Amino acid sequence: MLLTTHCSVALMRRCLAKLATVLFLVLPTFSPAEESNAPNVRDLVLAEQFAAADALLDDMREKFMTDIAVESDMYRLWDQFNRPVPELEKALTRWVEIGDSANARLARGIHFTSMGWRARGDAYISATAKTELRGMEAYFRLALEDFQAVLERRPDELFAYCYAMDVLMAFGADEAVHGLYEKALEEHPLAYTPRSFYLTSLAPWWGGSMQEIEQVVDDSRALYDRNPELRALEGRATSVLAEKADADGKFAMALTLYDRALQQGGPDWRYLTGRGEMYMRLDRFDEAIADLNRALVLRPDFVEALEHRSYSHYARGQNESAIQDITRIIELGGSTAWLHGIRADAYRQLGRFDEALADVTIAIEMDPSDDEYKRDRDRILGESRLH
């Protein structure tokens, strides 16, 4: 079997117990920064144009297998399925049922991975309910089944190895993650994406170390001339230090570190998003928007960047832009009480009271313990009566 480690329920729960020692969690980040004109394969699947989706993915795969420069565009096609949108799950399962192509299984596995992270939530592990962890576990098991099916047909399918690493990382299966990383590089020695996924698993809060991160980067340097995208790895260790400074509330220090990461690795969407967030936290909203604009050119629809940009627009009084970003986040499956609350106030400031009331009502339903949303609702109702 190509996914050599099967996670039994007992193993998964032991691994979840290991996660309880994590100081803070950072959602996984992925591939290199490079502007992309990748078509929207997700829309083809949602429209149940499965033959067209298979043709598009097969054509890009054929190009990628002979030209490593296509890796970024190939990744961005697959990344379109990394969205926790329920209607996408239905379409993907229909695609699997109709043809059971390797593309369909990989796309669905990636989607199940996103649903697993969503089920787990973003709270500290100590504040995460057992039901949320069980939801994560269920989706991750489904994802691993799909990745296994893909690799049995395509032992050289790079992105199945990468997303399987993402899942196994969550269960603390360090040896299995390393095995998948080595297998991916055996098949694709110049590839950036498996190195990026693997480096995520080596962050100290996932049980790795800075020394291990630096070793992976050092081992890659001899290949920079053959794949220039690998140079983005130069900023990775510094960006990990920046993430830690951010988690500790040291935003000015984190900003300095992200500056350094960009100098070392170039304009990677990861570093731009991080620096944009730090500008936002330091109330430097114009600079935040500039960085986040660049990040979203390099990785379109990256929800974290959209969230930071939406708040920066809102803080600058750019309510139409804030509404546009939040609407897109919700379309991508990123609905939260906080986002609905922000959009409600943006609508209120624009005098769009019906839409404001609809959003704040959703915020209250999603988080009834927050009295601030109830006060916002009363304010909206009061101002609407005056107009």
Side-chain angles (χ1 to χ4, degrees):
M1 302 295 281
L2 291 163
L3 281 180
T4 56
T5 297
H6 285 276
C7 288
S8 66
V9 173
L11 173 59
M12 284 184 170
R13 287 177 179 159
R14 286 198 299 273
C15 293
L16 289 174
K18 179 178 178 179
L19 282 179
T21 64
V22 175
L23 295 176
F24 55 91
L25 296 174
V26 177
L27 290 179
T29 53
F30 308 118
S31 68
E34 181 171 297
E35 186 169 357
S36 170
N37 296 312
N40 196 325
V41 66
R42 182 178 63 239
D43 283 353
L44 293 176
V45 172
L46 287 170
E48 297 200 1
Q49 297 179 25
F50 302 133
D54 268 318
L56 175 59
L57 290 163
D58 286 342
D59 178 65
M60 187 65 78
R61 171 179 161 81
E62 184 177 349
K63 293 175 180 176
F64 164 65
M65 295 299 286
T66 58
D67 183 3
I68 194 64
V70 181
E71 182 183 3
S72 291
D73 286 335
M74 185 80 254
Y75 166 77
R76 280 174 174 74
L77 284 178
W78 290 120
D79 187 48
Q80 291 176 28
F81 299 108
N82 187 26
R83 304 289 182 267
V85 183
E87 56 265 32
L88 183 56
E89 181 177 339
K90 296 175 185 177
L92 289 167
T93 296
R94 176 71 172 155
W95 188 12
V96 171
E97 291 171 347
I98 287 176
D100 198 24
S101 70
N103 292 328
R105 295 295 291 265
L106 179 51
R108 190 175 68 173
I110 293 169
H111 175 68
F112 281 147
T113 302
S114 74
M115 293 296 289
W117 285 114
R118 182 184 185 184
R120 184 245 178 271
D122 57 3
Y124 289 92
I125 193 70
S126 60
T128 301
K130 290 181 180 179
T131 54
E132 293 174 325
L133 294 175
R134 285 196 291 269
M136 179 190 75
E137 176 185 315
Y139 274 116
F140 281 174
R141 286 174 66 85
L142 292 171
L144 288 176
E145 289 174 8
D146 276 341
F147 298 146
Q148 177 67 50
V150 172
L151 290 169
E152 287 175 350
R153 301 179 207 181
R154 292 180 177 172
D156 60 356
E157 181 50 70
L158 176 68
F159 299 94
Y161 289 114
C162 292
Y163 283 96
M165 280 192 273
D166 185 26
V167 171
L168 293 174
M169 174 188 72
F171 295 121
D174 301 339
E175 291 185 9
V177 171
H178 185 259
L180 291 173
Y181 169 65
E182 289 191 327
K183 181 62 177 174
L185 290 191
E186 179 183 322
E187 297 288 347
H188 302 278
L190 296 179
Y192 176 103
T193 314
R195 291 176 166 90
S196 182
F197 274 76
Y198 185 54
L199 284 169
T200 296
S201 77
L202 294 179
W205 45 89
W206 287 112
S209 67
M210 297 303 296
Q211 291 78 10
E212 290 173 297
I213 291 171
E214 290 164 358
Q215 186 61 57
V216 170
V217 175
D218 188 55
D219 290 344
S220 303
R221 288 190 175 107
L223 302 175
Y224 286 0
D225 288 342
R226 297 173 65 189
N227 183 7
E229 291 203 63
L230 293 173
R231 296 180 188 276
L233 299 175
E234 288 292 333
R236 195 59 176 268
T238 303
S239 75
V240 169
L241 296 175
E243 290 177 57
K244 180 63 168 64
D246 175 19
D248 291 342
K250 300 175 181 178
F251 304 136
M253 178 186 295
L255 177 62
T256 298
L257 289 165
Y258 278 122
D259 278 336
R260 189 182 305 164
L262 283 159
Q263 293 167 3
Q264 293 167 333
D268 184 279
W269 60 262
R270 178 183 299 99
Y271 313 148
L272 287 166
T273 299
R275 190 173 70 174
E277 180 185 358
M278 293 309 102
Y279 280 137
M280 179 197 72
R281 292 186 181 280
L282 293 167
D283 295 341
R284 295 167 62 175
F285 298 114
D286 290 337
E287 292 160 293
I289 291 167
D291 267 357
L292 296 164
N293 284 344
R294 293 175 69 194
L296 285 161
V297 168
L298 300 170
R299 189 182 177 193
D301 282 344
F302 182 37
V303 169
E304 184 179 335
L306 284 168
E307 287 179 347
H308 300 326
R309 190 175 70 177
S310 71
Y311 183 78
S312 297
H313 281 309
Y314 171 74
R316 291 283 288 112
Q318 299 165 355
N319 291 308
E320 292 284 5
S321 295
I323 289 168
Q324 183 177 357
D325 279 347
I326 293 172
T327 299
R328 184 57 181 157
I329 293 167
I330 292 170
E331 290 172 350
L332 293 168
S335 179
T336 65
W338 180 81
L339 285 170
H340 283 285
I342 292 293
R343 192 171 67 171
D345 196 57
Y347 279 135
R348 179 193 64 79
Q349 293 183 52
L350 293 171
R352 296 164 62 175
F353 298 111
D354 289 344
E355 292 157 297
L357 184 59
D359 256 334
V360 79
T361 300
I362 294 171
I364 292 169
E365 291 171 351
M366 295 180 76
D367 188 2
S369 66
D370 192 333
D371 291 337
E372 187 68 30
Y373 297 134
K374 297 170 187 175
R375 288 191 287 271
D376 289 344
R377 178 189 58 192
D378 293 343
R379 182 180 185 184
I380 291 165
L381 287 170
E383 289 187 12
S384 68
R385 296 188 187 104
L386 300 175
H387 290 77

